[in-house]
């Protein structure tokens, strides 16, 4: 029987994101690092967040999350190009790279034009997550992520949402419940690749608007 491993972090408070962060073009960053990316990741990085679009499975996951929120009388969250780009890049990063057992699904490798690091259960490296949208895109605020990963089968929209609904921590993020009840989500991004699925939430409106449908 295949088992799904669900990875999540609780962060009760937010930290200030560094002001004046200079964003270099992703292609330039790739040239500086000299990293050779898998073709699909390379094309994603080259296109940038302005070109972010959803696959059919990612669209389904977005639709299912919005349907679930409507069932709880919650408003729809606008799709964000920036957060979708971050989610899609992270889905490929976690699919292509191995991480030590103590590093959970919010970790990033050192194999890209981003700050890599290990995200541990004590949330000691929480800014690694929070600051990623501002690091990679024009998004003006912090990002918060829920993740779903299967060991040997592709992640699907139905499978991941069902798993999140049975996990109080994930479910509270989706429904703005518990520690998230005072936050309004005004942006959401969806990224799925192979066994990996990541959904990013943000309070600020994305200046890049929404992915093409």
């Amino acid at each position: 029987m295949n088992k799904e491993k669900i990875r999540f972090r609780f962060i009760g408070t937010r930290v200030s994101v560094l002001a004046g962060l200079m964003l270099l073009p992703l292609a330039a960053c790739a040239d500086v690092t000299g990293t050779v990316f898998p073709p699909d990741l390379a094309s994603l990085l080259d296109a940038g967040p302005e070109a972010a679009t959803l696959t059919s499975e990612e669209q389904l996951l977005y639709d299912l999350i919005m349907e679930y929120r409507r069932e709880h009388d919650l408003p729809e969250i606008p799709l964000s190009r920036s957060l979708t780009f971050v989610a899609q890049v992270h889905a490929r990063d976690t699919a292509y790279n191995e991480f030590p057992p103590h590093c959970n699904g919010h970790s990033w490798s050192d194999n890209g034009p981003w700050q890599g690091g290990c995200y541990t259960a004590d949330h000691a490296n929480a800014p690694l997550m929070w600051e990623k949208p501002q690091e990679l895109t024009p998004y003006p605020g912090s990002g918060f992520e829920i993740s779903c990963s299967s060991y040997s089968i592709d992640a699907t929209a139905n499978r991941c949402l069902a798993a999140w609904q049975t996990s109080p921590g994930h479910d509270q993020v989706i429904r703005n419940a518990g520690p998230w009840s005072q936050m309004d989500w005004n942006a959401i991004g969806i990224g799925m690749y192979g066994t990996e699925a990541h959904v990013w939430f943000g309070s600020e409106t994305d200046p890049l608007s929404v992915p093409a449908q």
Side-chain angles (χ1 to χ4, degrees):
M1 179 178 180
N2 291 308
K3 295 183 179 179
E4 238 173 27
K5 53 180 180 181
I6 300 301
R7 289 126 8 137
F8 183 71
R9 56 90 193 88
F10 288 103
I11 302 168
T13 58
R14 300 173 68 189
V15 299
S16 298
V17 179
L18 293 176
L21 182 62
M22 180 176 292
L23 297 176
L24 296 177
L26 289 173
C29 290
D31 290 341
V32 170
T33 63
T35 302
V36 178
F37 301 112
D40 57 339
L41 178 55
S43 62
L44 182 64
L45 293 172
D46 186 58
E50 295 84 358
T53 59
L54 299 180
T55 67
S56 58
E57 195 67 19
E58 289 167 345
Q59 181 68 54
L60 176 59
L61 180 53
Y62 171 79
D63 292 340
L64 290 175
I65 291 174
M66 294 308 107
E67 179 181 351
Y68 183 52
R69 284 177 59 86
R70 285 193 295 271
E71 291 172 359
H72 292 274
D73 298 318
L74 296 168
E76 183 172 297
I77 308 170
L79 274 166
S80 158
R81 288 185 189 273
S82 294
L83 296 186
T84 292
F85 177 78
V86 175
Q88 291 175 342
V89 170
H90 198 202
R92 285 156 178 78
D93 186 47
T94 50
Y96 286 132
N97 294 284
E98 294 289 334
F99 297 89
H102 67 286
C103 301
N104 66 29
H106 305 308
S107 302
W108 288 74
S109 78
D110 294 320
N111 301 322
W114 52 72
Q115 177 187 348
C118 176
Y119 198 108
T120 52
D122 61 2
H123 317 299
N125 201 13
L128 178 70
M129 176 201 299
W130 294 338
E131 298 175 6
K132 200 59 67 183
Q134 289 198 23
E135 181 185 346
L136 294 178
T137 77
Y139 189 73
S142 299
F144 305 93
E145 177 187 55
I146 60 174
S147 299
C148 169
S149 177
S150 59
Y151 290 104
S152 59
I153 56 177
D154 284 350
T156 67
N158 283 287
R159 187 179 299 121
C160 285
L161 180 59
W164 288 330
Q165 288 171 327
T166 61
S167 168
H170 294 81
D171 191 57
Q172 288 174 344
V173 174
I174 296 171
R175 295 191 297 107
N176 290 109
W180 307 96
S181 60
Q182 301 303 310
M183 300 188 74
D184 294 323
W185 299 136
N186 291 302
I188 187 173
I190 312 290
M192 304 180 72
Y193 189 81
T195 61
E196 310 298 311
H198 299 288
V199 178
W200 285 72
F201 298 84
S203 293
E204 288 75 18
T205 300
D206 183 8
L208 294 183
S209 186
V210 299
Q213 299 296 301

